[in-house]
Amino acid sequence: MHFIQKRLRLPAVGRGFHLITDLLVAELPELEQIQVGMAQFFIQHTSASLSINENADPTVRHDFEQFFNRLAPENAPYFRHTLEGPDDMPAHLKASLLGHAVQVPIARGELALGTWQGIYLGEHRNHGGRRWVLATLMGQ
């Protein structure tokens, strides 16, 4: 079993859901060495998330943003954690709901995502800045 771990820096993006599959793969040429294995991607932040979903139609990402904004609205009167701005507590809730990690099988040196699947960065802050993802590749 072979293990590779890299800390990857993502560019700053605006609030919303962003496909980052190609960015991750571009930073991991080591993928080609693994014929059978697993990749784990873990975001090292509490106000952003990772998930896997539709990679073709951008309206899906728009609809995700609309749904989660209604589910965890800004300026809700019951939030107490507000010192970092009205988007902070909703960002933490969205990140907890969506998750901080995804696992993807590796097959023949590539991520074995389905035809219409991609890895999303959920940026839940208005100005989240650059984010760190810890990538762990395991396999042979």
Side-chain angles (χ1 to χ4, degrees):
M1 181 80 68
H2 190 64
F3 290 88
I4 299 163
Q5 192 168 73
K6 287 176 108 173
R7 194 169 183 229
L8 310 175
R9 188 77 158 157
L10 300 178
V13 294
R15 183 167 157 172
F17 290 85
H18 307 275
L19 280 169
I20 60 168
T21 312
D22 291 342
L23 290 171
L24 297 173
V25 170
E27 294 294 320
L28 295 167
E30 299 89 348
L31 267 170
E32 295 176 9
Q33 301 170 18
I34 300 174
Q35 293 304 298
V36 176
M38 188 66 66
Q40 182 190 56
F41 300 98
F42 175 81
I43 192 157
Q44 296 181 303
H45 302 275
T46 61
S47 58
S49 62
L50 295 177
S51 62
I52 296 174
N53 217 295
E54 162 80 48
N55 71 352
D57 186 346
T59 63
V60 172
R61 296 186 294 280
H62 171 269
D63 292 349
F64 259 63
E65 179 67 9
Q66 295 303 308
F67 173 81
F68 281 100
N69 286 341
R70 285 186 181 93
L71 191 62
E74 290 185 17
N75 297 310
Y78 43 84
F79 290 153
R80 293 186 180 177
H81 181 74
T82 59
L83 291 177
E84 294 181 50
D87 64 333
D88 190 40
M89 189 61 221
H92 293 309
L93 291 170
K94 294 170 189 176
S96 288
L97 289 168
L98 287 159
H100 293 88
V102 294
Q103 289 189 3
V104 181
I106 300 169
R108 295 174 301 285
E110 296 181 347
L111 295 180
L113 290 163
T115 301
W116 306 111
Q117 289 182 318
I119 301 172
Y120 284 11
L121 163 65
E123 177 52 73
H124 307 303
R125 297 296 308 266
N126 292 328
H127 305 286
R130 297 181 71 191
R131 301 295 193 167
W132 289 102
V133 171
L134 188 65
T136 305
L137 308 179
M138 303 158 271
Q140 49 189 356

